[in-house]
Amino acid sequence: MNITVIGRGNIGGGLADLWERAGHQVRRLGRGGGDVGASEAVLLAVPGTAVQVALSSVVGLEGKTVLDATNLYGGARPPAGFSSNAEYVKSVTGGPTAKAFNTNFASLFGQIADARARPSNLWSGDGEAQSLVEQLSLDAGYEAVRLGGLSMASTQEGLAGTLIAIAQSGLGQFVYRMASPEQL
């Protein structure tokens, strides 16, 4: 599959590495943007507050299936008029959209293959994105678990703050020591 990853950080770079190992052709875009017209799937993995800027530097998004791995925490809000970043992404692309890979710690990507059970990748979004989310989840070592339609994306985005709070309270010290909020 031809995949473009927007964002070269821990999440974007880490998933790109996993998908390349699974045999996919992955193109990585950074701050300079680029053209995603030849892509079958697009992963958006930038800071949650940078979604509008990141998408404004990308062409060829119309009708593309986009997996939004962004998070909003620390009081950050989605773009005005939208209840989630994922809903904003859909308004820009017009294509199938899913909130996915935003509750997985990038610092643990290297340990997925050693897990005794396949970890979950929670996702919510359009039904048209389901087969793609399931395939890319499996190819990264995860089992896709659907939470519901795109209207659930705001709830899923809120999980990041919850996971960080759990980790900081001492209940998830192992995970917290391995990942900063930017890595979630």
Side-chain angles (χ1 to χ4, degrees):
M1 183 182 309
N2 188 341
I3 304 165
T4 297
V5 175
I6 302 169
R8 294 179 176 164
N10 295 317
I11 296 291
L15 286 169
D17 290 344
L18 292 171
W19 290 331
E20 284 174 340
R21 280 186 229 133
H24 297 291
Q25 298 296 316
V26 181
R27 182 167 180 231
R28 301 165 193 237
L29 298 180
R31 287 185 172 92
D35 188 348
V36 301
S39 301
E40 298 167 74
V42 176
L43 174 74
L44 178 62
V46 299
T49 56
V51 170
Q52 289 176 293
V53 171
L55 293 181
S56 71
S57 66
V58 176
V59 297
L61 281 166
E62 298 76 26
K64 295 294 179 192
T65 300
V66 178
L67 308 183
D68 171 17
T70 67
N71 277 314
L72 295 169
Y73 55 88
R77 313 293 287 156
F82 297 92
S83 63
S84 69
N85 275 348
E87 289 174 330
Y88 172 76
V89 169
K90 179 155 181 99
S91 77
V92 171
T93 68
T97 305
K99 171 63 72 176
F101 296 105
N102 74 309
T103 59
N104 304 103
F105 286 96
S107 60
L108 299 177
F109 286 167
Q111 298 175 35
I112 295 170
D114 298 327
R116 67 179 165 75
R118 195 178 279 270
S120 297
N121 171 33
L122 302 178
W123 77 280
S124 56
D126 297 325
E128 300 86 1
Q130 184 166 349
S131 63
L132 191 134
V133 172
E134 289 174 349
Q135 184 63 56
L136 292 180
S137 294
L138 286 171
D139 293 345
Y142 291 96
E143 185 71 36
V145 176
R146 188 170 189 210
L147 300 176
L150 197 59
S151 64
M152 290 295 295
S154 62
T155 300
Q156 190 172 334
E157 286 175 356
L159 286 175
T162 302
L163 291 172
I164 291 166
I166 290 169
Q168 289 175 333
S169 74
L171 297 175
Q173 288 181 352
F174 174 73
V175 171
Y176 185 71
R177 279 194 308 269
M178 297 182 69
S180 67
E182 294 78 27
Q183 293 177 303
L184 178 64

